Coordinates of all heavy atoms in Angstrom, one line a residue:
H75 N 22.3 -7.3 -0.7 CA 23.4 -7.0 0.4 C 24.5 -8.0 0.2 O 25.7 -7.6 0.3 CB 22.7 -7.1 1.7 CG 23.8 -7.0 2.8 ND1 24.4 -5.9 3.2 CD2 24.3 -8.1 3.6 CE1 25.3 -6.2 4.2 NE2 25.2 -7.5 4.5
Y76 N 24.2 -9.3 0.0 CA 25.2 -10.3 0.0 C 25.8 -10.5 -1.3 O 27.0 -11.0 -1.4 CB 24.6 -11.6 0.5 CG 24.3 -11.7 2.0 CD1 23.0 -11.6 2.5 CD2 25.4 -11.7 2.9 CE1 22.8 -11.6 3.9 CE2 25.1 -11.7 4.3 CZ 23.8 -11.7 4.8 OH 23.6 -11.7 6.1
F77 N 25.1 -10.2 -2.4 CA 25.7 -10.4 -3.7 C 25.8 -9.1 -4.5 O 24.8 -8.6 -5.0 CB 24.8 -11.4 -4.5 CG 24.7 -12.7 -3.8 CD1 23.5 -13.0 -3.0 CD2 25.6 -13.7 -3.9 CE1 23.4 -14.2 -2.4 CE2 25.5 -14.9 -3.3 CZ 24.4 -15.2 -2.5
R78 N 27.0 -8.5 -4.6 CA 27.1 -7.2 -5.2 C 26.8 -7.2 -6.6 O 26.4 -6.1 -7.1 CB 28.6 -6.8 -5.0 CG 29.0 -6.6 -3.6 CD 28.1 -5.5 -2.9 NE 28.4 -5.4 -1.5 CZ 27.6 -4.7 -0.6 NH1 26.6 -4.0 -1.1 NH2 27.9 -4.7 0.6
I79 N 26.8 -8.3 -7.4 CA 26.5 -8.3 -8.8 C 25.0 -8.0 -8.9 O 24.5 -7.3 -9.8 CB 26.8 -9.6 -9.4 CG1 26.6 -9.5 -10.9 CG2 26.1 -10.8 -8.8 CD1 27.1 -10.7 -11.7
F80 N 24.2 -8.5 -8.0 CA 22.7 -8.3 -8.0 C 22.5 -6.8 -7.5 O 21.5 -6.2 -8.0 CB 22.0 -9.3 -7.2 CG 22.0 -10.7 -7.7 CD1 22.7 -11.7 -7.1 CD2 21.2 -10.9 -8.9 CE1 22.7 -13.0 -7.7 CE2 21.2 -12.2 -9.4 CZ 21.9 -13.2 -8.8
D81 N 23.3 -6.4 -6.6 CA 23.1 -5.0 -6.1 C 23.3 -4.0 -7.2 O 22.5 -3.1 -7.4 CB 24.2 -4.7 -5.0 CG 24.0 -3.4 -4.4 OD1 22.9 -2.8 -4.5 OD2 25.0 -2.9 -3.8
G82 N 24.3 -4.2 -8.1 CA 24.5 -3.3 -9.2 C 23.4 -3.3 -10.2 O 23.1 -2.3 -10.9
V83 N 22.7 -4.4 -10.4 CA 21.6 -4.6 -11.4 C 20.2 -4.2 -10.8 O 19.5 -3.4 -11.4 CB 21.6 -6.0 -11.9 CG1 20.4 -6.2 -12.8 CG2 22.8 -6.4 -12.6
L84 N 19.9 -4.7 -9.6 CA 18.6 -4.5 -9.1 C 18.3 -3.2 -8.3 O 17.3 -2.7 -8.4 CB 18.3 -5.7 -8.1 CG 18.2 -7.1 -8.8 CD1 18.0 -8.2 -7.7 CD2 17.1 -7.2 -9.8
S85 N 19.4 -2.7 -7.6 CA 19.2 -1.5 -6.8 C 18.7 -0.3 -7.6 O 17.7 0.4 -7.2 CB 20.4 -1.2 -6.0 OG 20.7 -2.2 -5.1
P86 N 19.3 0.0 -8.8 CA 18.8 1.1 -9.6 C 17.3 0.9 -10.0 O 16.6 1.9 -10.1 CB 19.7 1.1 -10.8 CG 21.0 0.5 -10.3 CD 20.5 -0.6 -9.4
L87 N 17.0 -0.3 -10.4 CA 15.6 -0.6 -10.8 C 14.6 -0.4 -9.7 O 13.5 0.2 -9.9 CB 15.5 -2.0 -11.3 CG 16.2 -2.4 -12.6 CD1 16.1 -3.8 -13.0 CD2 15.7 -1.5 -13.8
I88 N 15.0 -0.8 -8.5 CA 14.1 -0.7 -7.3 C 13.9 0.8 -7.0 O 12.8 1.3 -6.7 CB 14.6 -1.5 -6.1 CG1 14.6 -3.0 -6.5 CG2 13.7 -1.2 -4.9 CD1 15.3 -3.9 -5.4
K89 N 15.0 1.5 -7.0 CA 15.0 3.0 -6.7 C 14.1 3.7 -7.8 O 13.5 4.7 -7.5 CB 16.4 3.5 -6.7 CG 17.2 3.1 -5.5 CD 18.6 3.6 -5.5 CE 19.4 3.1 -4.3 NZ 20.8 3.5 -4.3
L90 N 14.2 3.2 -9.0 CA 13.4 3.8 -10.1 C 11.9 3.6 -9.8 O 11.1 4.6 -10.0 CB 13.8 3.2 -11.4 CG 13.0 3.7 -12.7 CD1 13.3 5.2 -12.9 CD2 13.4 3.0 -13.9
I91 N 11.5 2.4 -9.4 CA 10.1 2.1 -9.1 C 9.7 3.0 -7.9 O 8.6 3.6 -8.0 CB 10.0 0.7 -8.7 CG1 10.2 -0.3 -9.9 CG2 8.6 0.4 -8.1 CD1 10.3 -1.7 -9.5
R92 N 10.5 3.3 -7.0 CA 10.2 4.1 -5.8 C 10.0 5.6 -6.2 O 9.2 6.3 -5.6 CB 11.3 4.0 -4.8 CG 10.9 4.5 -3.4 CD 11.9 4.2 -2.4 NE 11.5 4.6 -1.0 CZ 12.1 4.2 0.1 NH1 13.2 3.5 0.0 NH2 11.6 4.6 1.3
A93 N 10.7 6.0 -7.3 CA 10.7 7.4 -7.7 C 9.5 7.7 -8.6 O 9.0 8.9 -8.6 CB 12.0 7.8 -8.4
V94 N 9.0 6.7 -9.3 CA 7.9 7.0 -10.2 C 6.6 7.2 -9.5 O 6.3 6.4 -8.6 CB 7.7 5.8 -11.2 CG1 6.5 6.0 -12.1 CG2 9.0 5.6 -12.0
P95 N 5.8 8.2 -9.8 CA 4.5 8.5 -9.1 C 3.6 7.3 -9.2 O 3.6 6.6 -10.3 CB 4.0 9.7 -9.9 CG 5.1 10.4 -10.5 CD 6.1 9.3 -10.8
V96 N 2.8 7.0 -8.2 CA 1.9 5.9 -8.2 C 1.0 5.9 -9.3 O 0.7 4.9 -10.0 CB 1.1 5.9 -6.8 CG1 0.2 4.7 -6.8 CG2 2.1 5.8 -5.7
V97 N 0.4 7.1 -9.6 CA -0.6 7.2 -10.7 C 0.0 6.8 -12.0 O -0.6 6.1 -12.8 CB -1.2 8.6 -10.8 CG1 -2.1 8.8 -12.0 CG2 -1.9 9.0 -9.5
A98 N 1.3 7.2 -12.3 CA 1.9 6.8 -13.6 C 2.1 5.3 -13.7 O 1.9 4.7 -14.7 CB 3.3 7.5 -13.6
I99 N 2.5 4.7 -12.6 CA 2.6 3.2 -12.6 C 1.3 2.5 -12.8 O 1.2 1.6 -13.6 CB 3.2 2.7 -11.3 CG1 4.7 3.3 -11.1 CG2 3.3 1.2 -11.2 CD1 5.3 2.9 -9.8
I100 N 0.2 3.0 -12.2 CA -1.1 2.5 -12.4 C -1.5 2.5 -13.8 O -2.0 1.6 -14.4 CB -2.1 3.2 -11.5 CG1 -1.8 2.9 -10.0 CG2 -3.5 2.7 -11.8 CD1 -2.7 3.8 -9.1
I101 N -1.3 3.7 -14.4 CA -1.8 3.9 -15.8 C -0.9 3.0 -16.8 O -1.5 2.4 -17.7 CB -1.6 5.4 -16.2 CG1 -2.6 6.2 -15.4 CG2 -1.8 5.6 -17.7 CD1 -2.5 7.7 -15.6
L102 N 0.4 2.9 -16.5 CA 1.2 2.1 -17.4 C 0.8 0.6 -17.3 O 0.7 -0.1 -18.3 CB 2.7 2.2 -17.0 CG 3.3 3.6 -17.4 CD1 4.7 3.7 -16.8 CD2 3.4 3.7 -18.9
L103 N 0.6 0.1 -16.1 CA 0.3 -1.3 -15.9 C -1.1 -1.6 -16.3 O -1.5 -2.8 -16.5 CB 0.6 -1.7 -14.4 CG 2.0 -1.7 -14.0 CD1 2.2 -2.2 -12.6 CD2 2.9 -2.5 -14.9
Y104 N -2.0 -0.6 -16.3 CA -3.4 -0.8 -16.7 C -3.5 -1.4 -18.1 O -4.5 -2.1 -18.4 CB -4.1 0.5 -16.6 CG -5.6 0.5 -16.9 CD1 -6.4 -0.3 -16.1 CD2 -6.1 1.3 -17.9 CE1 -7.8 -0.4 -16.4 CE2 -7.5 1.2 -18.1 CZ -8.3 0.4 -17.4 OH -9.7 0.4 -17.6
L105 N -2.4 -1.1 -18.9 CA -2.4 -1.6 -20.3 C -2.1 -3.1 -20.4 O -2.4 -3.8 -21.4 CB -1.4 -0.9 -21.1 CG -1.5 0.6 -21.2 CD1 -0.3 1.2 -21.9 CD2 -2.8 1.0 -21.9
F106 N -1.6 -3.7 -19.3 CA -1.1 -5.1 -19.4 C -1.8 -6.1 -18.4 O -1.7 -7.3 -18.6 CB 0.4 -5.1 -19.1 CG 1.2 -4.3 -20.0 CD1 1.6 -3.0 -19.6 CD2 1.6 -4.7 -21.3 CE1 2.4 -2.2 -20.4 CE2 2.3 -3.9 -22.1 CZ 2.7 -2.6 -21.7
F107 N -2.5 -5.6 -17.5 CA -3.1 -6.5 -16.5 C -4.6 -6.3 -16.4 O -5.2 -5.2 -16.7 CB -2.5 -6.2 -15.1 CG -1.1 -6.6 -15.0 CD1 -0.1 -5.6 -15.2 CD2 -0.7 -7.9 -14.8 CE1 1.3 -6.0 -15.1 CE2 0.7 -8.3 -14.7 CZ 1.6 -7.3 -14.9
K108 N -5.3 -7.3 -15.9 CA -6.8 -7.2 -15.7 C -7.1 -6.3 -14.6 O -6.3 -6.1 -13.7 CB -7.3 -8.6 -15.5 CG -7.2 -9.6 -16.6 CD -7.7 -11.0 -16.2 CE -7.5 -12.0 -17.4 NZ -8.0 -13.3 -17.0

Side-chain angles (χ1 to χ4, degrees):
H75 171 77
Y76 286 110
F77 302 97
R78 294 303 172 186
I79 185 170
F80 291 109
D81 186 19
V83 174
L84 294 176
S85 294
L87 292 177
I88 297 172
K89 290 176 181 178
L90 179 64
I91 293 172
R92 193 170 187 173
V94 176
V96 179
V97 174
I99 295 178
I100 295 171
I101 293 171
L102 288 173
L103 295 184
Y104 185 58
L105 302 172
F106 303 100
F107 295 96
K108 296 178 181 178

